[in-house]
């Protein structure tokens, strides 16, 4: 009931950003204030699009701790049952660290449950392929972001991310392994995921705290 009643059936988390102003304290109450910043109607090559920007501010003891923006896009249902991938852009090659991820329905279902995401394209293969027309289950955009943000924790011990922004470039499916990679230069951090054909799927630009 919070999001606007957009009549378009396909909803995707296309991009977003977050900044960490102050650490959240374990055991202390916190509250979140969510605001719809904008709703914009556009006509694209694939039909009608509606872009909704939502901001979430999390406070603790009246201090702003985390500020997050979601960029959500709503699309029309495809007129064809055959899904066509958008043109691919090659992923960067200068990775300083990387991991290979093997997605499976259990991983996707657990992340859906963790984030209260009931969209069937992440765990119901029959619905995803027969109704939505995708070739396989879709890996969540936020899951890709989560996996990418694990990289600096693992490979840049002691460094904390102050803020980051991400953008979804291309769908990722559970039918093949994919990679997550990154490189840091000073306080600037670039992270990305690539599919089995090495096309860029998710891109993150982040700033590390001093």
């Amino acid at each position: 009931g919070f999001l606007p009643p957009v009549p378009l059936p396909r909803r995707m988390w296309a991009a977003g950003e977050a900044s960490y102003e102050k650490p959240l304290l374990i055991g202390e109450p916190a509250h979140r204030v969510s605001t719809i910043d904008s709703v914009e109607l556009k006509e694209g090559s694939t039909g009608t699009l509606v872009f909704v920007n939502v901001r979430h501010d999390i406070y603790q003891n009246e201090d702003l701790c985390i500020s997050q923006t979601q960029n959500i896009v709503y699309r029309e249902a495809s007129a064809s049952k055959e899904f066509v991938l958008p043109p691919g852009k090659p992923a960067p090659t200068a990775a300083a660290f990387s991991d290979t991820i093997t997605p499976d329905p259990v991983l996707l279902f657990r992340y859906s449950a963790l984030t209260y995401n009931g969209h069937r394209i992440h765990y119901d293969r029959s619905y995803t392929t027969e109704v939505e027309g995708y070739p396989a289950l879709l890996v969540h955009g936020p899951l890709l972001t989560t996996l990418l943000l694990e990289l600096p924790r693992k490979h840049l011990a002691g460094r904390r991310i102050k803020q980051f922004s991400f953008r979804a470039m291309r769908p990722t499916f559970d039918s093949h392994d994919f990679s997550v990679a990154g490189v840091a230069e000073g306080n600037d951090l670039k992270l990305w995921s690539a599919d089995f054909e090495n096309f860029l799927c998710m891109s993150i630009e982040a700033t590390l705290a001093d």
Side-chain angles (χ1 to χ4, degrees):
F2 170 73
L3 291 172
V6 178
L8 302 177
R10 287 189 167 180
R11 184 180 75 186
M12 296 175 292
W13 194 341
E17 59 185 58
S19 61
Y20 303 99
E21 308 299 334
K22 190 175 181 180
L24 283 170
L25 302 177
I26 300 297
E28 292 288 334
H31 69 277
R32 184 177 73 177
V33 178
S34 297
T35 307
I36 296 176
D37 278 345
S38 64
V39 179
E40 187 176 5
L41 174 67
K42 290 185 177 182
E43 293 294 330
S45 59
T46 58
T48 302
L49 302 170
V50 174
F51 294 87
V52 179
N53 289 337
V54 184
R55 188 177 75 255
H56 305 286
D57 294 322
I58 300 176
Y59 296 86
Q60 197 170 60
N61 298 320
E62 305 305 320
D63 293 326
L64 177 63
C65 295
I66 299 174
S67 184
Q68 178 191 16
T69 300
Q70 288 178 276
N71 307 125
I72 303 169
V73 59
Y74 294 80
R75 300 177 57 190
E76 294 179 298
S78 174
S80 172
K81 288 297 183 181
E82 183 178 352
F83 176 73
V84 179
L85 276 169
K89 177 182 178 180
T93 57
F97 41 82
S98 64
D99 286 333
T100 299
I101 307 296
T102 302
D104 60 49
V106 175
L107 171 65
L108 302 188
F109 177 81
R110 285 175 170 170
Y111 197 81
S112 290
L114 177 68
T115 56
Y116 292 87
N117 185 346
H119 203 329
R120 293 163 67 183
I121 59 174
H122 302 302
Y123 60 85
D124 186 335
R125 193 175 302 277
S126 296
Y127 170 83
T128 303
T129 57
E130 296 171 14
V131 178
E132 295 279 358
Y134 292 112
L137 295 177
L138 273 82
V139 180
H140 318 62
L143 174 55
L144 293 174
T145 303
T146 300
L147 293 169
L148 285 166
L149 293 177
E150 278 290 285
L151 287 175
R153 187 187 67 82
K154 292 169 59 177
H155 298 281
L156 300 174
R159 300 302 304 273
R160 181 176 63 85
I161 291 178
K162 180 174 177 55
Q163 66 85 27
F164 72 91
S165 61
F166 71 89
R167 181 169 296 278
M169 310 294 289
R170 185 177 168 91
T172 301
F173 299 100
D174 78 329
S175 48
H176 296 90
D177 291 356
F178 62 89
S179 63
V180 290
V183 61
E185 294 182 5
N187 286 344
D188 295 329
L189 177 64
K190 294 185 182 299
L191 303 167
W192 62 89
S193 70
D195 62 18
F196 73 105
E197 296 179 294
N198 201 40
F199 285 127
L200 180 66
C201 294
M202 181 67 72
S203 177
I204 291 180
E205 293 189 357
T207 301
L208 296 166
D210 292 328

